[in-house]
Amino acid sequence: MADQRMAGAARSGVDGPLLVGILSDTHGVLPQAAFAELADCDFIVHAGDICDPGILAELETLAPVTAVLGNNDCREYGEAVGRFATPVIGGVRFLVTHTPDDLQRALRGCTSALQPGDPVPQVAVHGHTHVPRILKGKAASPASLVVCPGSVTRPRGGSAPSVAKMVVEGGAVKSVELVETGHFA
């Protein structure tokens, strides 16, 4: 797997917008519809509960991948995949972890994810709930955005299987949307 920090840094100087695909909770299966939806992405973020190293290998055929461990993952992915990731993609700082509780603890400085003096991430990403959501403004504070892409295999709360897609350019998030990928059978 490409080094998470280097992947973001290597492309951060690219002129023009970058498309970031965000998914979570694959639970050992990467549906073709989700794979196809991510095919145009410049970077992919997986927010945990991967449950099969082959999924990361498949995603890496599309773009550099940053991934974190979920509560159903083992350390079988090597040292490149830990509990937290802090990539910089297109000049945008991300904080990625699996659970919303870990995300809030990290944003409050109660974990090793952010060191004293580190800038607050602009985008905070989590999975675990299987319910897609995008929070902005005060609801996302201290980050600018909180994104949960839902689950591509086991959606909850009446949602459909989904991923999130984000356009970043010049150190800013230009747009973010949740994209339904179709029901997984």
Side-chain angles (χ1 to χ4, degrees):
M1 180 180 319
D3 182 279
Q4 295 167 7
R5 293 172 199 250
M6 291 305 292
R11 296 285 302 267
S12 65
V14 173
D15 291 333
L18 297 173
L19 184 60
V20 181
I22 304 169
L23 76 161
S24 185
D25 297 282
T26 49
H27 291 279
V29 178
L30 181 60
Q32 181 57 39
F35 183 84
E37 188 60 50
L38 298 170
D40 61 346
C41 293
D42 297 298
F43 291 93
I44 297 172
V45 174
H46 194 306
D49 276 359
I50 307 158
C51 301
D52 181 347
I55 289 174
L56 296 183
E58 271 188 88
L59 292 171
E60 285 178 338
T61 67
L62 300 175
V65 177
T66 294
V68 296
L69 297 171
N71 58 297
N72 290 299
D73 289 315
C74 298
R75 298 213 46 88
E76 62 196 309
Y77 309 101
E79 290 185 27
V81 181
R83 194 166 155 208
F84 299 98
T86 55
V88 176
I89 303 170
V92 174
R93 292 178 310 280
F94 285 74
L95 170 62
V96 184
T97 193
H98 183 61
T99 70
D101 289 343
D102 278 350
L103 185 66
Q104 288 307 311
R105 281 194 290 277
L107 288 170
R108 289 193 315 265
C110 299
T111 71
S112 62
L114 300 173
Q115 300 303 310
D118 282 352
V120 173
Q122 293 151 280
V123 178
V125 176
H126 73 85
H128 190 62
T129 65
H130 297 221
V131 178
R133 71 178 183 161
I134 298 170
L135 301 176
K136 299 177 182 181
K138 189 174 184 175
S141 185
S144 300
L145 284 169
V146 172
V147 178
C148 177
S151 173
V152 296
T153 59
R154 299 178 184 175
R156 294 181 185 150
S159 62
S162 59
V163 298
K165 293 178 95 171
M166 177 181 297
V167 176
V168 298
E169 183 176 17
V173 175
K174 298 298 182 180
S175 67
V176 61
E177 66 177 331
L178 296 167
V179 180
E180 291 184 6
T181 60
H183 286 282
F184 174 68

